[in-house]
Amino acid sequence: MAICFYADLYFILNFIMNLFLLYITAWWIGESYHCIRWAVSSVVCAILSVNITYLAGRGIKLPQTFLAIAELMFLIWSAYRPQYFKKFLTEFVTYIFLSAFTAGMISMLKEIFSRKRFSLLFLLLSICILFMLFRFLRVSIVRQDLKRKSIVNATLVHNGKKQEIKALYDTGNHLVSPYTGEPVAVISKDLSEWAHLSENAAPLLIPYHSIGGSGMLKAYRLDILKFKDGSARKNFLAAVSDNICTDKEIQMILNNQSMAEGGHNA
């Protein structure tokens, strides 16, 4: 019995699945967005899959399991370029897990739409779902990447105490003091308690307006905020907020104007 091998269709399916799994893996673990690199890696691995399958179909004995693992390792390395082995292992395991999950979902949908009259509907539905997922994953990964690039490491020095913090450069923070016109950063309540701000100085009330409402924030002067590039902010105002610094990873939100006036050069 002759077996027809449609190399072009097999290549397209492999390319789409490789690219989709690279997208969803990157979204899951927070990788940076590199569309061209992912596409090239997916093409190369799809070509490898076509050739391996063709050779195996011609009766040539190949170590299928070894080649499959090697191909996945090459795909992960070429797409994400991990700098150390632990990161590579995390990416590899995540890719395998999401591959198994995706295969299970496809099998389930195939069973649901197994009847012939539903075959075209299944194809159209699959295309629509893939398109929407690609769009969603692309936007989500870009947003994650932008947020990660906006986070800076810094050292806060106040009253002789030092604390390593992560600060978010937020272009939407235009909070300024109505009394002096100087920019005001926003810090978490935990950071203010660490610095004992309410115990050592009287607060300066700063009015604010946001989508969530308006009101007054208690602001205090902090001694020094040192950035990794050597720049620093000295004797600057920081308002304490319970609602703005909701991310446990972020202890401070930097003012857009403060970044442009001699602060950290983002």
Side-chain angles (χ1 to χ4, degrees):
M1 181 180 65
I3 299 177
C4 295
F5 176 59
Y6 297 96
D8 52 352
L9 181 59
Y10 190 76
F11 167 79
I12 292 172
L13 290 175
N14 270 273
F15 168 72
I16 292 174
M17 289 309 302
N18 287 340
L19 188 59
F20 171 73
L21 289 169
L22 287 176
Y23 263 83
I24 197 171
T25 301
W27 171 76
W28 187 272
I29 61 179
E31 284 288 340
S32 299
Y33 181 72
H34 297 286
C35 181
I36 296 177
R37 186 195 299 170
W38 297 348
V40 172
S41 300
S42 299
V43 167
V44 172
C45 287
I47 293 173
L48 289 174
S49 295
V50 169
N51 284 277
I52 291 170
T53 304
Y54 175 75
L55 293 174
R58 294 295 298 266
I60 300 175
K61 293 184 178 181
L62 297 170
Q64 296 287 339
T65 303
F66 172 79
L67 290 175
I69 294 175
E71 182 183 331
L72 288 179
M73 293 176 68
F74 172 77
L75 178 63
I76 297 299
W77 177 83
S78 61
Y80 299 137
R81 304 289 175 84
Q83 297 179 352
Y84 47 90
F85 179 73
K86 186 177 179 181
K87 192 170 187 294
F88 170 78
L89 188 61
T90 300
E91 294 164 345
F92 184 79
V93 172
T94 304
Y95 187 94
I96 294 295
F97 169 77
L98 292 174
S99 298
F101 178 79
T102 303
M105 291 297 296
I106 292 175
S107 298
M108 183 183 69
L109 290 174
K110 185 178 179 181
E111 288 296 325
I112 296 174
F113 295 94
S114 59
R115 298 178 183 177
K116 290 185 178 180
R117 66 172 180 269
F118 286 135
S119 58
L120 179 60
L121 178 61
F122 174 69
L123 178 61
L124 294 175
L125 181 63
S126 300
I127 293 173
C128 291
I129 291 175
L130 274 177
F131 174 77
M132 290 186 292
L133 282 174
F134 269 116
R135 292 282 296 178
F136 167 76
L137 291 170
R138 179 183 180 278
V139 172
S140 298
I141 294 170
V142 169
R143 286 178 178 174
Q144 288 178 349
D145 200 24
L146 288 175
K147 181 180 179 181
R148 183 168 50 253
K149 290 179 180 178
S150 299
I151 296 176
V152 294
N153 295 315
T155 303
L156 178 63
V157 182
H158 187 72
N159 288 336
K161 298 169 62 179
K162 292 184 179 181
Q163 175 73 24
E164 297 292 330
I165 67 169
K166 287 188 176 181
L168 174 66
Y169 169 46
D170 185 4
T171 57
N173 178 21
H174 300 283
L175 189 64
V176 296
S177 170
Y179 317 108
T180 61
E182 62 185 298
V184 181
V186 181
I187 63 174
S188 65
K189 186 177 180 180
D190 290 341
L191 190 59
S192 71
E193 291 176 350
W194 166 84
H196 302 287
L197 296 180
S198 60
E199 301 174 11
N200 300 325
L204 180 68
L205 297 179
I206 304 292
Y208 76 92
H209 302 278
S210 66
I211 297 176
S214 59
M216 306 291 286
L217 293 176
K218 293 181 179 180
Y220 303 87
R221 289 206 173 271
L222 297 176
D223 293 341
I224 305 175
L225 183 65
K226 298 179 180 179
F227 298 96
K228 297 298 182 181
D229 63 358
S231 61
R233 293 289 299 172
K234 298 180 179 179
N235 194 32
F236 64 99
L237 279 174
V240 181
S241 173
D242 295 328
N243 300 322
I244 299 178
C245 291
T246 55
D247 192 335
K248 295 297 182 181
E249 184 185 5
I250 306 301
Q251 293 87 36
M252 180 180 294
I253 298 179
L254 298 168
N255 184 286
N256 183 37
Q257 184 180 350
S258 70
M259 301 294 282
E261 296 180 352
H264 174 72
N265 297 319

